[in-house]
Amino acid sequence: MESKCKLYAYFHLFLFFTSLLLQAQAADPQTDSLLTLKSKLTDNNSNTLQDWSINNSNTKPVPSCSWSGIRCNQNSTSVISINLSSKSLSGTFPGPLFSVFTDLLELNISDNSFSGEFPPEIFNLTSLRSLDISLNNFSGPFPNGGVSSLKNLVLLDALSNSFTGSLPTDLPLLENLKVLNLAGSYFTGSIPSGYGSFKNLEFLHLGGNLLSGNIPRELGDVRTMTHMEIGYNSYQGVIPWQLGYLSELKYLDIAGANLSGFLPKHFSNLTKLESLFLFRNHLSGEIPWELGNITSLVNLDLSDNHLSGTIPESFAELKSLKLLSLMYNEMSGTLPEGIAQLPSLDTLFIWNNYFSGSLPKSLGMNSRLRWVDVSTNSFQGEIPLGICSRGALYKLMLFSNNFTGSLSPSLTNCSTLVRIRLEDNAFSGVIPFSFSQLPDISYIDLSRNKLTGGIPQDISKATKLDYFNISHNPELRGKLPHEIWSLPRLRNFSASSCSLSGPLPVFHSCKSVTVIELSNNNVSGTITPSVSSCHSLYKMDLAGNIIAGGVPETLSKLPHLKVLDLSDNSLAGSIPSDKVFRSMGKQAYEGNANLCGLPLKPCAAYSSRKLVSVLVACLVVIIVAGTLGLFYVHHRSQGRWKMVSFSGLPHFTADDVLRSFEPSEEPPQVSSSVCKAVLPTGITVTVRKIELQGKKRGVVLNVLTQMGNARHVNLVRLLGFCYNNHLVYVLYDNNLHTGTTLAEKMRTKKRDWVTKKRIINGVAKGLCFLHHECYPPIPHGDVKSSNVLFNDDKNMEPCLGEFGSKYMLHLNKGLVSSDQMNDVIRAEKQKDIYSFGELVLEILTNGKLRDAGRVVDNKPKDVLLREVYAENENGFEQEVKRVVEVALLCISSNQSDRPCMEDALRSLSETHGSNRLK
């Protein structure tokens, strides 16, 4: 009995202590705070924090110590680390919940989607050593004033958020801080001079903000600094020479920072510096000889500046140098032999300068060169024999120089090559490549040289070849490899003006090919119907050969074919009737004596069936015309005006429109060519009056009908027109015409880059639609800023007005005959492209550069770019430069150099995220 009583007592005692333990667990404030935190956050993965729950089997004093992302002290009595990085969490971060974590050493909430203002309560965690809030969307000002309480903080990372306002000024009070990363977070203002008083800071990253002002010279006082990134901002002034005092510095990046002046000679004191990035600034003058004293340098990039003079001979001492980039400067002289002797050099970029002389003969023999680009200079002589000797070269860019000599033996065994561009030189001799020895080659451009010996017949073994251009080697000769189209990745094959002969290879397995250029050769044979297997084909230029046979109808099955030129061959027969063939214009078929059919002259002979069909059709036309004539006579007394409406205009009669001008029942006499009218339902339209000339009414009405059916978001809508024998009133959508024009907007407000880009792309899309998706094409005829309209100021989506009007007026005045129609359309499209280029430059310069075609001819490109950069925000220079390049092509005096609008639009679309390197 006594033992039973003891057992009973022990059982109750066990229940008592178990209850106390559960109460302790339930009352644990840190666990409670974490559970509350979980309830307040949005878990976008639904199960990221699934183990954050109370489990009775957990016997630890703080149950949350066993949860994912939570680390406690040795006896599990207090949380010391919270790591919620990359958990797909979102919502506002509840700072007050963290007051219980008095022993917290680490808080990492990086790579989530937290928003709202960052809670200042976090700065009350005085034990905190590491705070990482990077890669979120915190907004508002960064808390200032409370950070100083984090006396133990070693790391503060707030990379890539959306803060506003200036950089926090009290951070230098954190004497133990070693890592400070505030990059890419939209901070404005200048770098506080107080940032020069950090005691132990080693890593500083302020890049990619909106900072301005001068870089404070006090930064040179942070002698513990080993890594400084403060570029991609918009500073004023020069690089402080005091940065030369940072004797421990290993990494310095002030690229894309709008800096001017000279390179400081004092940088020679940075004897531990390994990487120096100062590209994309406005630095000028010569490179100081003293930079050669920084023998620790591994990466040196001074590109995209205005540096002049020669490469210092002292650079021969940079034995650790791997990257040397001086491209896009104004440097001259020769490439020193000492550069070729550098044992670690693997990347050499000196393109777009004024270098001359020969490349050092030892280039490539002393280091494992991987990428060499010396293009667009004035180098001469031969390719160094040993440029591939170390077996690592994969990109070789020598184009647009004055190189001579043969490609062999220097390139014979370059088995590592992926990309080679040697165009626009004077190389001679045979092409030495054995494609079976080039397993990774993808891009070859040997055009505009003096090569001979034909195209290597084993090119079909280049299974990764994407682009091949051998055009304008007039003595090349030879035949086209018969399996050329079967290369699995080939997109572009260009071999124009190469004196090639032999049959055109049969098209099979050519699914990837987009461009075929074989003009001005002696290629024979026929275009086989199997060309329909080239599903991606965009351009086929076979002009100026001796190709016979007919034009295969299967070409019409190619969905992407936009450019076809079969002129000056020996083709015969009838051009297929599909509209694809007509859309190419007669210039695509001219010079084939036995070829007929639209868009050329009709074929002289018809089969009897065709003749019967034609006669029947004519009879039907006569009957219909007679019926319409009787109908017209019968209804002539009801008025001479007729109405044509398009999509978007309610049903109105001609009388409704005419009465909207004035109350008179007589036909209105609109005094000017353009006015406004209010239709019976209250719709306001813009009206253009056209006085019909002679017998041109039918032509004008046809063009108006085509314009009315042209619907695109970037075109002003033509709603309808009413007409009689002498007048036409054309009705346009007034919602846009009443909006402000681009010309007016540029006069009143400077636009940001994103808005400019939207306007330029919108105009390009509208023109591309007119030129390439309308048949026949509709030339705009008057592309200018006053004809670019907007519906509202919010989305700034442009609409082209007045499209086709000038062209239509020319037709009306009899200035264009039907035989001249295609030629005029082609010429007017060229004018549109030219005007588009001028408009782009006008937009980029906020209206300051008008009639750019006339001005740019007398202005160096670098000067133009500086003027354009000055009118746009910093940080977008590469995108702006690409758009300028498209504009300059459009206003080229040589029409053959101008892109079509489709190509221009494609190039503009590629500006996003464009790489600095080729």
Side-chain angles (χ1 to χ4, degrees):
M1 182 69 181
E2 184 178 352
S3 61
K4 288 183 178 180
C5 289
K6 288 182 178 179
L7 184 63
Y8 184 75
Y10 288 146
F11 177 72
H12 278 280
L13 189 62
F14 170 76
L15 291 178
F16 174 75
F17 282 114
T18 300
S19 176
L20 286 178
L21 178 63
L22 291 175
Q23 290 176 16
Q25 288 179 335
D28 166 40
Q30 294 187 347
T31 299
D32 284 347
S33 291
L34 291 174
L35 288 173
T36 304
L37 174 66
K38 177 182 176 181
S39 68
K40 288 182 176 294
L41 300 180
T42 301
D43 186 348
N44 296 304
N45 277 347
S46 300
N47 58 359
T48 302
L49 303 177
Q50 62 179 348
D51 65 328
W52 282 31
S53 60
I54 296 294
N55 186 343
N56 290 336
S57 63
N58 190 334
T59 59
K60 293 183 177 182
V62 178
S64 56
C65 290
S66 61
W67 294 352
S68 60
I70 305 300
R71 186 163 57 89
C72 293
N73 56 10
Q74 286 187 346
N75 55 10
S76 298
T77 58
S78 183
V79 174
I80 61 172
S81 174
I82 299 175
N83 188 344
L84 300 179
S85 62
S86 305
K87 298 287 189 183
S88 299
L89 302 172
S90 60
T92 57
F93 200 71
L97 290 176
F98 283 77
S99 61
V100 297
F101 298 103
T102 55
D103 298 319
L104 195 66
L105 302 177
E106 178 193 18
L107 176 60
N108 187 345
I109 58 173
S110 64
D111 194 19
N112 285 290
S113 300
F114 295 121
S115 57
E117 294 192 3
F118 184 73
E121 292 86 355
I122 298 299
F123 297 146
N124 296 327
L125 304 175
T126 55
S127 298
L128 206 60
R129 290 173 53 83
S130 177
L131 176 59
D132 190 345
I133 62 172
S134 62
L135 303 172
N136 280 288
N137 195 31
F138 287 114
S139 57
F142 190 90
N144 207 356
V147 183
S148 57
S149 61
L150 300 177
K151 297 295 185 182
N152 298 305
L153 196 67
V154 175
L155 180 148
L156 174 57
D157 192 344
L159 167 76
S160 189
N161 278 280
S162 300
F163 294 114
T164 56
S166 57
L167 293 167
T169 57
D170 55 350
L171 294 179
L173 298 174
L174 305 178
E175 295 187 356
N176 291 305
L177 193 66
K178 292 185 177 181
V179 177
L180 176 60
N181 191 347
L182 301 177
S185 291
Y186 297 93
F187 288 109
T188 56
S190 58
I191 300 176
S193 59
Y195 277 28
S197 60
F198 282 105
K199 301 299 183 186
N200 292 291
L201 194 67
E202 297 175 2
F203 182 102
L204 176 64
H205 193 354
L206 305 176
N209 281 293
L210 303 173
L211 301 176
S212 56
N214 292 305
I215 297 175
R217 63 178 183 272
E218 288 83 359
L219 288 181
D221 295 332
V222 189
R223 305 299 170 84
T224 55
M225 190 86 69
T226 62
H227 186 112
M228 180 186 289
E229 289 184 72
I230 56 175
Y232 305 100
N233 285 291
S234 185
Y235 305 117
Q236 286 81 48
V238 301
I239 301 173
W241 61 265
Q242 288 86 352
L243 296 184
Y245 289 141
L246 300 175
S247 55
E248 298 297 316
L249 198 64
K250 294 182 178 180
Y251 188 102
L252 178 60
D253 186 346
I254 324 180
N258 196 43
L259 295 169
S260 56
F262 303 133
L263 281 168
K265 294 181 181 180
H266 296 76
F267 277 10
S268 61
N269 298 323
L270 305 176
T271 55
K272 295 183 180 180
L273 192 65
E274 296 176 359
S275 296
L276 176 59
F277 297 110
L278 300 175
F279 58 84
R280 207 181 303 155
N281 280 292
H282 305 291
L283 303 176
S284 57
E286 298 188 2
I287 299 175
W289 182 92
E290 290 81 358
L291 287 192
N293 293 333
I294 314 176
T295 55
S296 56
L297 268 179
V298 176
N299 302 298
L300 177 60
D301 192 341
L302 307 177
S303 60
D304 289 7
N305 280 288
H306 307 297
L307 299 173
S308 56
T310 60
I311 299 175
E313 294 285 347
S314 61
F315 276 18
E317 302 303 317
L318 303 178
K319 305 299 184 183
S320 300
L321 195 66
K322 290 185 176 181
L323 165 68
L324 176 60
S325 180
L326 304 174
M327 62 187 186
Y328 269 110
N329 277 290
E330 299 162 15
M331 300 183 68
S332 56
T334 61
L335 181 63
E337 178 68 32
I339 299 297
Q341 300 293 330
L342 296 176
S344 302
L345 190 67
D346 68 14
T347 304
L348 177 64
F349 295 148
I350 58 174
W351 47 283
N352 265 68
N353 279 284
Y354 301 101
F355 292 117
S356 57
S358 300
L359 293 178
K361 292 182 178 180
S362 61
L363 185 64
M365 299 176 67
N366 300 294
S367 66
R368 289 177 58 83
L369 273 180
R370 299 175 61 251
W371 192 341
V372 175
D373 193 337
V374 303
S375 58
T376 320
N377 281 288
S378 298
F379 285 113
Q380 56 192 27
E382 300 186 357
I383 301 174
L385 291 178
I387 199 163
C388 291
S389 61
R390 299 296 293 272
L393 191 68
Y394 78 102
K395 289 189 179 183
L396 179 61
M397 313 291 189
L398 308 181
F399 63 87
S400 298
N401 279 284
N402 301 312
F403 287 113
T404 56
S406 67
L407 306 183
S408 178
S410 56
L411 300 183
T412 303
N413 297 313
C414 269
S415 59
T416 53
L417 276 176
V418 172
R419 191 178 183 92
I420 181 167
R421 295 188 60 183
L422 308 181
E423 71 267 25
D424 195 18
N425 280 287
F427 290 116
S428 57
V430 300
I431 301 171
F433 303 135
S434 173
F435 284 99
S436 60
Q437 303 299 315
L438 296 172
D440 298 314
I441 195 71
S442 66
Y443 191 108
I444 299 176
D445 195 336
L446 307 176
S447 61
R448 300 185 185 279
N449 280 287
K450 300 177 181 179
L451 299 172
T452 58
I455 300 171
Q457 292 298 304
D458 70 339
I459 193 173
S460 59
K461 296 179 180 178
T463 55
K464 295 183 181 179
L465 190 62
D466 173 86
Y467 182 100
F468 184 80
N469 189 349
I470 194 71
S471 295
H472 301 286
N473 282 277
E475 301 299 321
L476 185 68
R477 305 189 188 282
K479 298 180 179 180
L480 287 167
H482 69 280
E483 294 182 354
I484 186 61
W485 313 129
S486 63
L487 287 172
R489 298 188 184 181
L490 186 66
R491 292 188 308 111
N492 190 108
F493 184 85
S494 299
S496 297
S497 302
C498 289
S499 300
L500 298 174
S501 58
L504 180 68
V506 174
F507 295 96
H508 58 81
S509 303
C510 55
K511 294 180 180 179
S512 64
V513 180
T514 59
V515 174
I516 297 174
E517 295 175 327
L518 293 172
S519 62
N520 300 316
N521 285 292
N522 296 306
V523 177
S524 57
T526 61
I527 307 171
T528 58
S530 61
V531 70
S532 61
S533 65
C534 304
H535 298 303
S536 301
L537 195 62
Y538 169 82
K539 178 180 181 180
M540 176 185 275
D541 186 354
L542 305 179
N545 285 283
I546 50 175
I547 297 171
V551 178
E553 191 167 359
T554 52
L555 281 170
S556 64
K557 297 180 180 180
L558 301 177
H560 304 291
L561 187 64
K562 299 296 182 184
V563 181
L564 177 66
D565 194 344
L566 305 177
S567 61
D568 298 314
N569 276 283
S570 300
L571 297 169
S574 175
I575 299 171
S577 59
D578 193 283
K579 66 178 182 179
V580 170
F581 297 98
R582 296 197 303 274
S583 68
M584 301 299 171
K586 69 177 182 179
Q587 72 277 3
Y589 311 101
E590 291 174 333
N592 290 278
N594 297 314
L595 197 62
C596 61
L598 293 176
L600 299 179
K601 293 182 179 180
C603 295
Y606 291 86
S607 65
S608 57
R609 179 178 299 179
K610 288 183 179 178
L611 182 59
V612 169
S613 299
V614 171
L615 291 174
V616 170
C618 290
L619 182 60
V620 170
V621 169
I622 292 171
I623 293 172
V624 171
T627 303
L628 291 175
L630 291 173
F631 181 85
Y632 174 75
V633 170
H634 178 72
H635 290 276
R636 183 173 54 185
S637 60
Q638 298 182 17
R640 295 176 292 121
W641 290 91
K642 297 182 180 179
M643 182 72 202
V644 176
S645 299
F646 301 112
S647 175
L649 183 69
H651 180 70
F652 292 115
T653 65
D655 288 341
D656 291 330
V657 175
L658 299 175
R659 280 197 297 269
S660 66
F661 292 108
E662 56 187 26
S664 170
E665 294 183 2
E666 298 296 321
Q669 301 298 317
V670 182
S671 59
S672 63
S673 61
V674 178
C675 68
K676 290 181 174 59
V678 180
L679 298 178
T681 58
I683 295 176
T684 302
V685 295
T686 298
V687 182
R688 173 183 287 277
K689 180 180 73 172
I690 302 173
E691 296 182 1
L692 295 172
Q693 304 289 326
K695 300 179 180 180
K696 298 299 179 181
R697 186 180 76 159
V699 177
V700 171
L701 297 184
N702 285 339
V703 173
L704 281 173
T705 301
Q706 187 192 7
M707 291 166 58
N709 289 322
R711 285 287 188 265
H712 191 273
V713 68
N714 297 115
L715 297 177
V716 174
R717 292 187 303 166
L718 191 158
L719 299 175
F721 61 89
C722 61
Y723 67 96
N724 63 13
N725 289 331
H726 306 291
L727 285 175
V728 179
Y729 291 111
V730 187
L731 303 130
Y732 291 96
D733 184 355
N734 191 64
N735 288 332
L736 286 160
H737 269 269
T738 56
T740 310
T741 69
L742 175 60
E744 293 167 324
K745 286 185 179 295
M746 285 192 293
R747 284 196 296 269
T748 57
K749 183 179 179 182
K750 186 175 180 179
R751 299 291 162 180
D752 61 86
W753 170 240
V754 174
T755 301
K756 289 179 181 178
K757 190 164 54 176
R758 183 183 299 119
I759 295 170
I760 292 169
N761 284 342
V763 173
K765 289 174 183 178
L767 287 174
C768 186
F769 176 82
L770 292 173
H771 286 194
H772 299 285
E773 296 186 41
C774 296
Y775 178 77
I778 303 175
H780 185 285
D782 199 14
V783 179
K784 58 185 180 182
S785 57
S786 58
N787 281 334
V788 179
L789 305 148
F790 303 90
N791 192 23
D792 57 61
D793 287 328
K794 184 177 181 181
N795 59 28
M796 292 296 288
E797 188 69 36
C799 286
L800 279 168
E802 299 294 328
F803 68 89
S805 296
K806 275 195 173 181
Y807 170 62
M808 180 178 59
L809 292 175
H810 286 160
L811 291 175
N812 184 39
K813 294 178 181 178
L815 301 177
V816 181
S817 66
S818 57
D819 292 338
Q820 298 172 318
M821 195 86 72
N822 287 331
D823 292 335
V824 170
I825 290 176
R826 185 164 62 251
E828 289 296 318
K829 284 166 62 179
Q830 284 292 329
K831 291 179 183 178
D832 284 353
I833 295 167
Y834 187 91
S835 298
F836 172 72
E838 290 193 312
L839 177 63
V840 169
L841 292 174
E842 184 179 349
I843 294 171
L844 292 178
T845 58
N846 300 303
K848 293 182 179 179
L849 186 58
R850 298 181 182 177
D851 299 323
R854 174 179 53 82
V855 176
V856 169
D857 282 342
N858 301 315
K859 184 172 294 190
K861 183 179 177 181
D862 59 333
V863 175
L864 173 65
L865 284 172
R866 282 200 292 272
E867 291 180 1
V868 174
Y869 289 158
E871 295 294 330
N872 293 277
E873 304 138 87
N874 286 296
F876 299 101
E877 285 83 356
Q878 283 303 106
E879 285 192 56
V880 173
K881 181 179 178 183
R882 182 61 184 268
V883 174
V884 170
E885 289 172 348
V886 173
L888 291 179
L889 283 175
C890 290
I891 62 174
S892 172
S893 56
N894 186 352
Q895 290 190 9
S896 62
D897 290 339
R898 297 177 195 166
C900 65
M901 282 309 307
E902 200 162 40
D903 287 342
L905 179 58
R906 185 181 297 111
S907 296
L908 290 171
S909 301
E910 292 170 356
T911 61
H912 307 286
S914 60
N915 200 317
R916 291 192 321 115
L917 306 178
K918 293 175 284 187

